[in-house]
């Protein structure tokens, strides 16, 4: 998903100018002003709504099933409201700051300008370029597609700090975090003038922007917010693994919008991303079960779900770059890494990353981003050229990962401190004990 | 009258109910409880977190019977609920001062 | 969604005649008989199944979560069976009466003829026109797409009268209501010879036909059926807000089929409908939470869900007509209106519109339909021409709204009285107390 | 879904060879080497993920809701892991054995060769032929689409033996059953050199391969595994019909990928399959309710769900062959047949096909496969030619059905005996009583 | 002190609670139980399988009262719960040796 | 023997269980109940409808102990459950006539 942005802007203008001509210009290829192929448009609209489904109800259920009954609605409401907020931020300034015309130097590599605030100047006839020269999609579709990425990233972060933070604090956090963390990183990775883009970092569908970023932010937030009352003492068993498994299924289904949609076209590259998103995930699901057996436990439903999600995270940056065998490998290895992070390391450390947003999205994202440099190699069936220099690419990937971690950590700290200053961040002990559903939202999830 | 309270393994409910009916008892009240005792529950594991499920699902059966029937009925229940394994449960007997059938207002023995 | 129906019929015939030629006529644009673009076909098939997903399981869960445990299955069964029935009615006579060749005067503005009963004469090669001259989609796809609209409208009505009406009564009601209420209104709004269509009413995706119509019918039915036992006395708290929120997510996802699908093509107009369906909804979700705060309550999960649905309702008629900023405005205002209707006015009146089908679909539909005339203005970023006459359009919109309300009220009353005569309408007091699941369907929703 | 396989292979190679040329070969029709239409590609990618959604979370919920609380996670985990395993088997050898280049005689009619193991030689530019000469889709998409069919077939089988079989036994069973049962039958039905294909058997979307096959295997497995403890004595009421109904909705939505996707193109044939998948299902849902009334019971939620699924099964082989009226007929008749099988015959026999995988998929598949020969007749609105010979086709269909039953029975027995030898097949009495969730997976589905 | 235990139809909870409050009782404890008695439940049907729902949902109300109030309160409860149809439930009275308010440690009558 | 019944706040279960084990009690039975008393629940709001949640979730703990242990154990429970805020709950003691361990048929004290 690296639209060639000069092309994009030019195409957008061209489309607007040539609007009256569009009707008879059905056959785009030979035209001066490209018109969107309807197959591409259909696919990208579907991809967009698939990513929405990943959040509502996918992630809501995946996360919600893991908390205690008394906090179920708070998770659903937090994710739902954060998604709404992220969308509004996106049209107000987000799209412009991430993908708008270049900001003046020295900001160019880090952020774009504000010219497209409120989507100024964009019409139904505006188009955005894809990776293929001369192929475009309606710009509104591109905006929507990217909007869902912003929303899901913010939502994943919440997994680190459920069951204890005020709803108002999360809203303030979101308002600050989006502009200072998400938008710059999205610009750096996906805009042609962005820092990582110019470095040549490989990130097919947003492993850095979405998963590493969200995972790290969740970890930082979990540490700053502190542990839940009774953490490691009371039973905090998931209130409904059934819902978590439903969420897992919807995440997998929706993730094809995320990964195959990131091809921006309905073509062979999308098809490759699709098969990789199948097999990496399947391998990761089974690998997690195998890891449980290996470490003396029973193969569990939550293990399968965790493996599936870690595989999806892993294959995100590699989706259009790896071959199926490379993807299987990457999925399996990442699942093992996440298993160790979540089941062995986290219980030993003191932080309460409640839903393992870091353990799965952060760790999985990092392994996936670095692994992408490996599975890109043609020897492993990857799409790299014959003279692909793996060592160099590994360096680039690691640099991008480290920079993302650093930026996300600092920005998240700032956002948290502002949220704490404004709202106090955590609910009272009583509210936490009674549950956020009643205390913060005045409702109970179930009246059976 | 006596109230017989039995804590039993859930899958023995059908047997106990049949034993009661054969013993001439017309009604009973059942509730879901969790028991803690010699029988230990399974260990549950969710990602890193292990929980000993030391509360095992049980059913509580409450039956009010005439004093004269108490011994017979209590034995019938215990027999029907017995598997011989830990966790079979307990049976307690308490005295009841008064019983009322709410529908009719009938009292004591006639209320059962 | 206003197919040019002369074009449609001609195209249909043409397609049938030219069938043998179709194989080599892959490249449609230059041909005399238009062939469907596969991108459009793909998008419209997806849109169709998205609307089905809005009903099963979307609306089932949204509504089902709001009732008491003992009536859960009755809601699921009622919506499921009503959907099946509506589909059969649709192929038997519905499509013909709504979209078939003109009926003789003076019926022309109100209903079409019966020539297409049992879909007579339609083949896989038949096509239906879209809004763009020369662009067609397979007629079967158009029939299916429209079929799902009929089904969801009927299903929404049920929200007014859950937890007390006999299953058999609902089936009789459906059999009468579809032909005398839904089909005429659909014809009036969408067929080129229809009353509202010729008046020039704006209704992009069915705000009048679906939402106002269903909302009003639900209100009338709620009043005729009477209140539930214990209404306003016993606790009737939703048995599972979790399910309601899941339904909300699926409704939002599916609504893109409803709104963006109503463009009938995978083009910039669909893209505009898509972004509007994102941002109006996001704004409405947050606006409802804000309203709760304003009126001294906690921001609630059900509030977020209600806001989201009211925003979706609001943007339905405006989806392809407004710009994103207009959509945000419309969504927010409608959410406030629905909040007042549902949380302030309804409790004061005596009727038991149990799931607020009127409060949200009716009120939201009315505000949305009228507001469409406003946000259509180019000054607000709408798609109206430079010389757009807002006052005139407002008049047209209000007239269409009033006519729909009147028609729906009268028709619904007739259908209810027939249903009451045949079946008695309400279940017995005992059945209502025990719950419709056991009394009417012989099952319980949960055996935990 | 019968790709012309010579065409497929040729196209695949051609695509690979012509890759550098692909960039300027946007307009496929006139080219020597066909390029995939993006509308078809978009539709087939969507169809693929719809079939995944049928499994995760569709079938998981449909099945899971029907078991007792204590076995819920085992159903979710079994289906999830079986799906993952089937996918890996598919890329390792499955695709090659089902759809690869011909195996040497005399194996040709029964299985393909191993040349495409690990998807050897396939690139993003490879294409697979469709039913229309010169129209292709990316081969990776075809592989993914077919992969989901393999996964769902295996998953359906599990419905016969839930609540009592070891997780490890199922994994061993899957490893044996896929190569010796699923892959040969898929080859026989869909490959141009396959036995049933050359016989001329009609099976639009896999009634034989998926439903008869899975249904029969489930029955055999249910008999071999034996009854659940307390079968026909203890209450085994579904723990959550709500979830079963959600699964039903998702199955219906996803089934459009299954059926309309089997057209392999976004065209009129897919549109026909779509409308048939609507109306056959609607008729079947209502027919089941009617049957319940007829036999003196209440119309039930589970009845509606069962009817819907039986209608979907029925219309699978007929989807692109019948007309809408034929589909309605076929759906209704099949629902009645399945009702009798499930509610009247099964309780009288001694086997415990726990979730009626045979009663619905097996019986429904058989009635559907044979009925396809009837509704194919042009007199019933079917797609058969004017000189269609129904008697001959009926003979072919019955032969294919019988052969499938025989093959599936023998193969399933072999797989079961191997699984029993390796793992013991059934869990201990204690584990069964406690529930497979705790005993096999160490978790509970709900901690409310 | 006496413990009054009443098994009632669930939809009568509100009436019983009001009767208790009017009778001056400050607290009660409610649990969900299933009852077996003369009242038979509906038959459930799932595909082929029929289940007699012979366990009907009930609520169990437990109230501890002073000895002197017992008769009055028991009558109030019975009256509030009565519908006159089978399944109205039972009311039992047991003696309580000691009562404690956990918050304060207050004993017996003052603990109620 | 005595039956100690305690109504407690749910999040105090763990403490009470530990107190019992330290007091040498081997078993207990727990059920989910809802309590009505001085402590008022939150108000819930669903669209227009407000519900006072005047039934607050509680746990009921039942333990049968020898007469001699009663006082000590009751105190231990009360102490473990006490937070000092309204709603901490009640503790009642009843006499048990007979106790049976269903698994073995052991009677009375040896059955505990
Ligand atoms: N002292 C007690 N007071 C109340 N209930 C008890 C007591 N001891 C045991 N129970 C109940 O009896 C059940 C079975 O007791 P347990 O010690 O596990 O097995 P067994 O009775 O076979 O020795 C427990 O789960 C608990 O519900
Ligand atoms: N002997 C008994 N012991 C305990 N509970 C009983 C007894 N008999 C009846 N009950 C309870 O009282 C409820 C109502 O009893 P039932 O016989 O159905 O109606 P009625 O009391 O109106 O004759 C039953 O559901 C059961 O919970
Ligand atoms: N008279 C009573 N009979 C039975 N249970 C009672 C009675 N009074 C209170 N309870 C139970 O004790 C719980 C706590 O009582 P409450 O009055 O709220 O607080 P406190 O005991 O701290 O004064 C109640 O929720 C209820 O379950």
């Amino acid at each position: 998903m690296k639209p060639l942005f000069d092309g994009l802007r030019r195409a957008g203008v061209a489309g607007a100018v040539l609007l009256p001509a569009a009707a008879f210009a059905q056959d785009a290829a030979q035209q001066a002003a490209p018109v969107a192929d309807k197959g591409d448009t259909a696919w990208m609209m579907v991809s967009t709504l698939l990513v929405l489904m990943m959040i509502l109800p996918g992630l809501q259920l995946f996360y919600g099933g893991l908390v205690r009954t008394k906090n179920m609605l708070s998770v659903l409401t937090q994710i739902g409201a954060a998604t709404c907020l992220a969308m509004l931020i996106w049209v107000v300034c987000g799209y412009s700051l991430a993908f708008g015309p270049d900001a003046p130097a020295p900001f160019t590599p880090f952020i774009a300008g504000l010219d497209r605030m409120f989507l100024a100047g964009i019409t139904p006839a505006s188009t955005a370029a894809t990776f293929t020269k001369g192929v475009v999609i309606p710009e509104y579709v591109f905006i929507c597609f990217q909007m869902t990425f912003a929303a899901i990233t913010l939502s994943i972060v919440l997994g680190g700090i459920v069951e204890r933070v005020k709803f108002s604090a999360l809203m303030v956090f979101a308002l600050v975090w989006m502009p200072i963390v998400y938008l710059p990183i999205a610009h750096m990775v996906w805009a042609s003038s962005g820092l990582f883009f110019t470095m040549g970092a490989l990130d097919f569908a947003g492993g850095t922007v979405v998963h590493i970023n969200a995972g790290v932010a969740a970890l930082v937030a979990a540490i700053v917010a502190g542990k839940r009352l009774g953490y490691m003492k009371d039973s905090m068993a998931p209130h409904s693994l059934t819902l978590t498994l439903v969420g897992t299924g919807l995440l997998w289904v929706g993730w094809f919008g995320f990964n195959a949609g990131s091809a921006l076209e309905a073509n062979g590259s999308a098809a490759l991303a699709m098969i990789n998103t199948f097999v990496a995930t399947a391998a990761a699901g089974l690998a997690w079960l195998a890891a449980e057996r290996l470490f003396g436990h029973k193969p569990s439903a939550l293990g399968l779900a965790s493996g599936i999600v870690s595989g999806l995270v892993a294959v995100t940056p590699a989706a259009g770059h790896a071959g199926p065998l490379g993807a299987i490998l990457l999925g399996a290895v990442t699942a093992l890494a996440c298993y160790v992070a979540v089941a062995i390391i986290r219980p030993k450390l003191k932080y309460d990353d409640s839903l393992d947003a870091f353990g799965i999205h952060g760790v999985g994202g990092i392994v996936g981003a670095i692994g992408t440099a490996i599975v890109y190699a043609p020897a492993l069936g990857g799409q790299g050229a014959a003279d692909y220099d793996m060592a160099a690419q590994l360096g680039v990937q690691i640099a991008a990962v480290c920079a993302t971690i650093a930026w996300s950590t600092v920005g998240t700290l700032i956002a948290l401190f502002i949220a704490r200053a404004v709202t106090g961040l955590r609910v009272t002990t009583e509210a936490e004990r009674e549950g956020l559903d009643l205390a913060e939202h005045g409702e109970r999830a179930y009246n059976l | 009258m006596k109230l017989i309270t039995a804590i039993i393994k859930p899958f023995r409910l059908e047997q106990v109910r049949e034993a009661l009916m054969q013993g001439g008892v017309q009604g009973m009240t059942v509730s879901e409880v969790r028991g803690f005792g010699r029988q230990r529950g399974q260990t549950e594991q969710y990602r890193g977190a292990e929980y000993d499920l030391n509360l095992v699902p049980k059913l509580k059966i409450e039956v009010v019977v005439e004093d004269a029937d108490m011994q017979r009925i209590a034995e019938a229940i215990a027999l029907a609920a017995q598997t011989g394994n830990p966790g079979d449960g307990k049976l307690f007997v308490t005295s009841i001062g008064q019983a009322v059938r709410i529908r009719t207002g009938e009292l004591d023995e006639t209320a059962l």
Side-chain angles (χ1 to χ4, degrees), chain A, chain B:
Chain A
M1 204 166 47
K2 292 171 218 141
L4 311 163
F5 269 85
D6 296 342
L8 186 159
R9 293 269 66 88
R10 236 183 296 121
V13 171
V17 168
L18 288 183
L19 182 56
F24 59 84
Q26 275 293 14
D27 226 343
Q30 309 93 312
Q31 294 288 330
V35 172
D37 180 279
K38 286 173 154 186
D40 288 338
T41 305
W43 173 241
M44 291 312 297
M45 289 198 289
V46 171
S47 293
T48 301
L49 61 89
L50 284 171
V51 185
L52 178 64
M53 191 172 78
M54 287 176 70
I55 318 175
L56 311 177
L59 192 69
Q60 281 183 316
L61 290 175
F62 183 77
Y63 273 0
L66 292 175
V67 302
R68 288 163 290 174
T69 308
K70 63 183 179 183
N71 296 315
M72 177 59 177
L73 292 179
S74 76
V75 170
L76 299 177
T77 313
Q78 287 169 11
I79 293 180
T83 295
C84 290
L85 197 55
M87 289 177 182
L88 294 185
I89 295 173
W90 189 250
V91 297
V92 170
C93 67
Y95 178 66
S96 190
L97 287 172
F99 292 109
D102 280 352
F107 301 110
T108 330
F110 303 107
I111 198 83
L114 283 166
D115 304 50
R116 301 278 163 200
M117 267 186 76
F118 296 102
L119 309 182
I122 298 166
T123 76
S126 309
T127 56
T130 66
F131 301 118
T132 309
K133 207 175 142 52
V135 176
V136 298
I137 54 173
E139 188 166 4
Y140 276 142
V141 173
F142 181 72
I143 296 170
C144 289
F145 185 61
Q146 282 294 338
M147 179 164 64
T148 57
F149 278 61
I152 201 169
T153 307
L154 179 58
S155 299
I156 293 169
V157 178
L158 305 180
I161 44 173
V162 293
E163 303 199 294
R164 58 197 184 281
V165 172
K166 283 183 185 170
F167 182 66
S168 56
L170 293 173
M171 295 296 102
V172 173
F173 173 79
L175 277 171
V176 180
W177 191 82
M178 287 297 296
I180 72 171
V181 180
Y182 183 79
L183 298 178
I185 297 184
H187 178 79
M188 288 189 266
V189 173
W190 284 323
S192 57
S193 58
L195 183 64
F196 304 155
F197 188 97
T198 50
M199 279 163 56
L202 291 172
D203 185 357
F204 192 75
T208 336
V209 184
V210 177
H211 299 290
I212 300 183
N213 182 13
V216 167
L219 177 62
V220 171
I223 292 169
V224 170
K227 284 171 255 178
R228 287 167 292 175
L229 286 179
Y231 181 59
M232 296 294 233
K233 261 174 37 202
D234 301 351
S235 166
M236 294 186 169
H239 92 281
S240 173
L241 280 183
T242 297
L243 296 179
T244 295
L245 271 277
V246 174
T248 305
L250 294 177
L251 282 172
W252 195 350
V253 171
W255 218 291
F256 291 104
F258 204 94
N259 283 3
S262 288
L264 297 180
E265 291 177 71
N267 61 6
S269 172
L272 176 63
M274 174 166 265
I275 195 160
N276 285 339
T277 305
F278 271 109
V279 295
T281 309
L286 295 179
W288 193 294
L289 296 182
E292 290 182 314
R293 286 298 274 268
L294 225 79
F295 283 89
H297 303 295
K298 294 171 178 169
S300 69
L302 181 54
L304 181 69
S306 308
I308 284 173
V309 176
S310 69
L312 289 164
V313 169
V315 81
T316 295
H321 299 313
L325 290 191
I328 289 178
L329 216 78
L330 186 62
V333 168
T334 305
L336 298 180
C338 292
Y339 177 80
V340 171
V342 154
I344 297 175
I345 296 177
R346 198 246 300 139
K348 293 204 177 125
L349 301 178
K350 297 286 170 239
Y351 66 91
D352 176 11
D353 172 14
S354 317
L355 307 182
D356 291 313
F358 176 72
I360 291 183
H361 295 274
V363 173
I366 293 168
V367 176
I370 297 172
T372 295
I374 297 169
V375 295
Y376 190 55
L380 283 155
Q383 298 289 306
D387 63 345
Y388 170 62
D389 178 352
M390 192 191 291
Q393 189 64 43
L394 268 173
V396 171
Q397 298 295 99
I398 291 171
V401 165
C402 294
T404 303
I405 294 175
W407 190 291
S408 183
T409 304
V410 174
T412 302
L413 282 173
I414 296 172
L416 284 168
F417 289 124
I418 293 176
R420 178 187 281 166
V422 178
T423 67
L425 206 57
R426 267 186 90 133
V427 299
T428 62
T429 302
E430 244 139 72
E432 192 174 338
R433 203 160 266 150
E434 177 165 40
L436 271 57
D437 288 5
L438 272 171
E440 290 264 296
H441 305 291
E443 299 160 300
R444 278 176 309 144
Y446 308 98
N447 291 284
L448 294 174
Chain B
M1 289 150 304
K2 295 281 186 277
L3 165 67
I4 306 178
T5 302
I7 315 288
I8 66 168
K9 289 188 168 165
F11 72 91
R12 283 295 168 130
L13 175 62
E14 214 35 45
Q15 279 98 317
V16 169
R17 198 172 64 87
E18 273 163 30
L20 283 174
M21 290 186 73
Q22 285 186 330
V25 175
Q26 299 281 7
M28 66 173 181
T29 300
V30 182
S31 33
E32 278 162 21
V33 299
R34 288 175 294 154
F36 169 72
R38 275 175 194 74
Q39 181 200 12
R40 287 302 148 98
Q42 289 264 357
T43 299
E44 293 173 48
Q45 163 106 18
Y46 301 100
R47 286 188 186 148
E50 281 204 31
Y51 302 114
D52 282 325
L53 186 74
N54 38 34
L55 290 163
V56 186
K58 301 277 171 197
L59 290 182
K60 176 160 83 172
I61 312 283
E62 287 168 300
V63 201
V64 179
V65 294
E66 298 183 30
D67 289 355
D69 295 338
M70 189 272 278
Q71 205 61 36
R72 191 171 52 84
I73 300 296
E75 268 165 31
I77 294 175
L79 218 72
Q82 196 176 61
T83 71
N85 297 319
D88 273 358
K90 311 283 182 209
L91 185 152
F92 304 124
V93 181
T94 352
S95 286
I96 290 290
Q98 193 178 333
V100 185
R101 184 193 306 280
I102 291 176
R103 164 159 57 102
T104 55
E106 286 164 286
L107 284 189
D108 298 343
E109 272 75 14
T110 61
L112 298 182

